[in-house]
């Protein structure tokens, strides 16, 4: 068949672009059949076990893990960037009121747009690599401040100013609660944040890179990514997975509740992943964190996981369906006393670093991402009927 305008008319592309390679990246990858993913050359789970969030941020942006002096310099550089431009701070109460029903992640879309305008962010196409990185550092540092302020304002509380002396994760919890967190909870949330910095070309990362490929400014890219993340099939699932545990309630209800949902064709939130064909390594890490905390919720989650996997194996033979990151992420955040309205925003507070690293990488490539679609409508051209 002939090609029109350089576009092939018979496209053998899988739905959702599953497995289609759209570019090269040095940032990381997901090897789903192995149950492994990495940031640059390091296992992401090992990084979460042995490094702090700032180290991983340095790795994603600058290509190497910092030594002690480099870590101190990087931390000193980003801490003051947590404070918002005056125009954004003044507008946050209005944004919080307007997004009261939809929550802080929806408010973040508006706040990020305003942040981009207030900070005078330039189109990526028009600026060099150093300025792009400077703008990205500032935006990443500002996102947790916006999210926590929007949540607190929505609860009728005053925002809490960031502290320069606290690490990223501890400062996030401090701005959220107004109290300095205990080290165990701060470290648990830090490990969760590190584990969700990046994860291949997921929907929100791909969205950010598509927008970056047009040469738009950083805020435009991040707003698009936040919009993609808000979907319940992407980052919107941690609280829904916890809702599943609440709905089941007791051990004796696990089997009938799950069987009824599976037979009805419903999706069990927190189970299954489009890439992994074995256990999600993030889920394995977070399960261990939950078990270290212990208590009824952690014990119940482990029991539900075991029964759901057994029932799914029985009713859907041949399919590998395990817990994904959302299942135990919800448990860990609940154990750390985060409000459920902040589960997905907390995901965003980590993923903004991965999005930004991808945006910076995409900005080095001048080729716009412009895929094609297969037309399946009525055959053209047909005569236009008279009015």
């Amino acid at each position: 068949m002939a090609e029109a305008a350089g576009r092939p008319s018979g496209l053998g592309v899988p739905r959702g672009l599953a497995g289609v390679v759209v570019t090269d990246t040095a940032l990381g990858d997901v090897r789903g059949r192995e149950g492994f993913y990495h940031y640059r050359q390091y296992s992401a789970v090992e990084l979460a076990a042995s490094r702090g969030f700032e180290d991983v941020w340095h790795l994603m942006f600058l290509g190497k893990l910092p030594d002690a002096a480099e870590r101190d310099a990087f931390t000193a550089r980003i801490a003051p960037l947590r404070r918002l431009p005056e125009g954004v701070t003044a507008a946050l109460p209005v944004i919080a009121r307007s997004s009261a029903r939809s929550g802080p992640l929806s408010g973040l879309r508006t706040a990020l747009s305003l942040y981009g305008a207030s900070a005078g962010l330039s189109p990526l196409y028009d600026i060099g690599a150093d300025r792009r990185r400077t703008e990205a550092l500032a935006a990443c540092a500002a996102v947790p401040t916006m999210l926590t302020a929007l949540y607190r304002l929505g609860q009728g509380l005053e925002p809490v100013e960031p502290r320069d002396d606290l690490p990223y994760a501890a400062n996030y919890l401090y701005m959220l609660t107004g109290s300095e967190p205990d080290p165990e909870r701060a470290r648990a949330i830090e490990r969760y944040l590190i584990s969700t910095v990046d994860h291949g070309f997921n929907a929100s990362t791909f969205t950010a890179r598509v927008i970056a490929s047009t040469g738009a400014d950083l805020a435009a890219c991040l707003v698009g990514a936040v919009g993609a993340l808000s979907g319940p099939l992407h980052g919107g699932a941690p609280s829904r997975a916890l809702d599943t545990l609440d709905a089941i309630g007791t051990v004796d209800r696990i089997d009938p509740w799950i069987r009824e949902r599976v037979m009805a064709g419903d999706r069990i939130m927190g189970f299954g992943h489009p890439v992994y064909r074995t256990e999600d390594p993030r889920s394995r890490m977070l399960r261990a964190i939950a078990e270290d905390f212990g208590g009824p919720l952690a014990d119940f989650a482990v029991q539900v996981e075991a029964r759901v996997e057994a029932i799914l194996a029985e009713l859907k033979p041949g399919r590998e369906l395990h817990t994904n990151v959302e299942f135990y992420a919800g448990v860990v955040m609940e154990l750390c006393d985060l409000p459920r309205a902040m589960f997905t925003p907390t995901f965003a507070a980590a993923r903004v670093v991965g999005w930004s690293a991808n945006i910076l990488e995409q900005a080095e490539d001048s080729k716009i991402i412009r895929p094609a679609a297969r037309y399946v409508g009525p055959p053209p051209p047909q005569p236009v009927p008279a009015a």
Side-chain angles (χ1 to χ4, degrees):
M1 297 178 70
E3 293 184 2
R7 181 176 61 192
S9 56
L11 296 173
V13 178
R15 289 182 66 220
L17 301 180
V20 175
V21 175
V22 297
T23 192
D24 295 330
T25 182
L27 295 173
D29 193 21
V30 181
R31 303 210 295 253
R33 295 191 180 278
E34 301 172 39
F36 173 78
Y37 75 115
H38 58 102
Y39 303 155
R40 299 201 184 268
Q41 67 268 43
Y42 303 107
S43 161
V45 172
E46 288 186 22
L47 287 168
S50 62
R51 290 285 190 148
F53 190 87
E54 285 80 0
D55 286 3
V56 175
W57 188 353
H58 190 283
L59 172 69
M60 297 299 286
F61 270 44
L62 299 172
K64 66 185 290 286
L65 286 171
D67 59 28
E70 290 168 333
R71 180 189 303 115
D72 290 344
F74 187 72
T75 301
R77 181 180 181 185
I78 60 178
L81 302 176
R82 295 168 177 168
R83 287 165 179 76
L84 303 177
E86 185 176 338
V88 177
T89 301
L92 286 178
V94 177
I95 297 172
R97 285 196 299 272
S98 300
S99 59
R101 293 180 61 185
S102 50
L105 199 67
S106 294
L108 181 63
R109 297 199 300 262
T110 303
L112 269 172
S113 290
L114 181 59
Y115 173 86
S118 298
L121 300 189
S122 300
L124 298 168
Y125 186 81
D126 294 337
I127 56 178
D130 287 344
R131 183 170 169 188
R132 291 178 201 141
R133 186 180 298 112
T134 296
E135 292 185 348
L137 284 169
C140 290
V143 161
T145 308
M146 286 187 262
L147 285 170
T148 54
L150 287 167
Y151 173 76
R152 288 183 64 85
L153 287 164
Q155 300 299 306
L157 302 170
E158 286 297 314
V160 175
E161 284 294 309
R163 279 174 48 179
D164 291 356
D165 62 316
L166 291 177
Y168 190 88
N171 180 66
Y172 176 73
L173 293 175
Y174 170 72
M175 290 191 297
L176 183 61
T177 65
S179 301
E180 187 170 340
D182 70 76
E184 184 183 16
R185 283 177 169 77
R187 180 57 182 154
I189 293 301
E190 181 173 52
R191 291 181 67 187
Y192 167 66
L193 292 173
I194 292 171
S195 74
T196 53
V197 161
D198 192 48
H199 201 247
F201 266 40
N202 54 82
S204 56
T205 297
F206 183 55
T207 300
R209 291 191 72 130
V210 169
I211 299 172
S213 79
T214 72
D217 67 61
L218 181 86
C221 304
L222 293 177
V223 170
V226 171
L229 184 73
S230 67
L233 298 185
H234 189 10
S239 61
R240 291 172 184 247
L242 204 59
D243 291 342
T244 296
L245 295 179
D246 289 343
I248 295 171
T250 57
V251 173
D252 61 296
R253 281 175 42 82
I254 297 174
D255 282 37
W257 194 94
I258 296 298
R259 287 181 183 278
E260 180 181 346
R261 297 310 184 280
V262 174
M263 296 305 292
D266 295 342
R267 175 172 178 163
I268 308 300
M269 285 296 184
F271 287 80
H273 194 277
V275 176
Y276 288 115
R277 294 300 173 262
T278 184
E279 188 178 22
D280 187 330
R282 301 169 299 177
S283 178
R284 184 166 55 245
M285 182 197 78
L286 292 166
R287 183 200 304 123
I289 294 174
E291 289 177 321
D292 285 343
F293 277 107
L297 176 60
D299 294 342
F300 186 55
V302 172
Q303 291 174 300
V304 169
E305 177 190 21
R307 288 306 305 148
V308 170
E309 289 192 351
I311 293 168
L312 289 173
E314 173 194 337
L315 299 179
K316 295 179 178 290
R319 295 182 63 184
E320 289 283 345
L321 294 170
H322 302 280
T323 53
N324 54 42
V325 66
E326 285 87 6
F327 185 81
Y328 281 107
V331 173
V332 169
M333 285 189 276
E334 183 90 344
L335 292 172
C336 290
D337 298 325
L338 269 72
R340 294 189 188 187
M342 288 300 289
F343 282 9
T344 302
T346 301
F347 192 129
R351 188 57 62 86
V352 67
V353 171
W355 291 331
S356 296
N358 274 276
I359 291 164
L360 294 175
E361 186 176 63
Q362 186 64 48
E364 295 296 318
D365 184 354
S366 61
K367 180 68 174 177
I368 192 170
I369 298 174
R370 205 297 191 184
R374 182 188 297 109
Y375 177 73
V376 295
Q382 295 188 22
V384 178

